[in-house]
Structures are given as structure tokens and as C-alpha cells.
Amino acid sequence: MKKYIFIGLVFLVKASSVFGQEDQFNVIRINGKVTDISGTPLVGANVLILDTEYGASSSLAGEYLISMPGQVLNQNSVIILASYMGYKSKRDTITISSESEIRKDLILSPD
């Protein structure tokens, strides 16, 4: 019986340490909509966080979502780059705060 109690305690300690790691790895989500100057969604636009491997393509509604671990960032801001064929690429700086959800809509102009 003592053996089963010991194994149960070891399991609980291990499980709590695994689930507790979520706090250490703060996830930052940057989302928004990519449109042209008339407000039409741009389907398949590329949205990248420069100097990282993180990015996304916009959906049929022009929406994008980039999720990345907070420890990837060395600074309080990132540069986001949106591009779409036939349109000028747009760079914008996003300030990273304590918020884990950041919304950034991007409007691209024709080339």
C-alpha cells in the first residue's frame, strides 16, 4: 500500500512540474487583418516577424495569427513585415507589452 502511495505522490509532483512550465513559456499571439486600401481582404498575404522563424499567411477573410513563445524575443518590440504580390510590402513596429494578445491590422498599397 505504501508503494502505491509513493508512486502516486511521485506522479503528482511530476505532473505539477510539467503543467507549471506553461507559466515559464509565455505565448505571445499577434493577429490582425491584411487588406488593401479599399478594405478588401488580401487572401494569402505573408506576414512575418523579422529576425525570427515565425510568420503566417492570411485566411480567406484576410485574418492572420502568429503565435510564438515570449522567450524568443530579446527586446520589447518586433518588426512585422506584410507582403502580397502586386502590392508594396509594409513594415511596422509592434511594441510587446505584458499583454499576450496583440492586434495589428495591416493595409497594403498597390505597387
Side-chain angles (χ1 to χ4, degrees), residues 21-28 52 54 68-75 96:
Q21 288 181 358
E22 290 178 8
D23 294 336
Q24 295 174 8
F25 301 112
N26 182 27
V27 175
I28 296 171
T52 73
Y54 296 95
M68 61 185 176
Q71 64 269 31
V72 168
L73 304 174
N74 299 349
Q75 63 271 1
I96 306 297

Side-chain angles (χ1 to χ4, degrees), residues 28 30 49-52 68 72-80 92-97 102:
I28 296 171
I30 301 172
I49 305 295
L50 292 184
D51 299 328
T52 73
M68 61 185 176
V72 168
L73 304 174
N74 299 349
Q75 63 271 1
N76 294 333
S77 64
V78 294
I79 298 173
I80 193 168
D92 211 342
T93 302
I94 297 176
T95 302
I96 306 297
S97 63
I102 300 165

Side-chain angles (χ1 to χ4, degrees), residues 54-99:
Y54 296 95
S57 293
S58 61
S59 69
L60 292 173
E63 299 284 335
Y64 71 92
L65 170 64
I66 302 171
S67 295
M68 61 185 176
Q71 64 269 31
V72 168
L73 304 174
N74 299 349
Q75 63 271 1
N76 294 333
S77 64
V78 294
I79 298 173
I80 193 168
L81 174 68
S83 61
Y84 191 75
M85 189 178 297
Y87 288 80
K88 295 177 185 173
S89 295
K90 181 173 186 173
R91 289 178 184 232
D92 211 342
T93 302
I94 297 176
T95 302
I96 306 297
S97 63
S98 60
E99 298 291 322

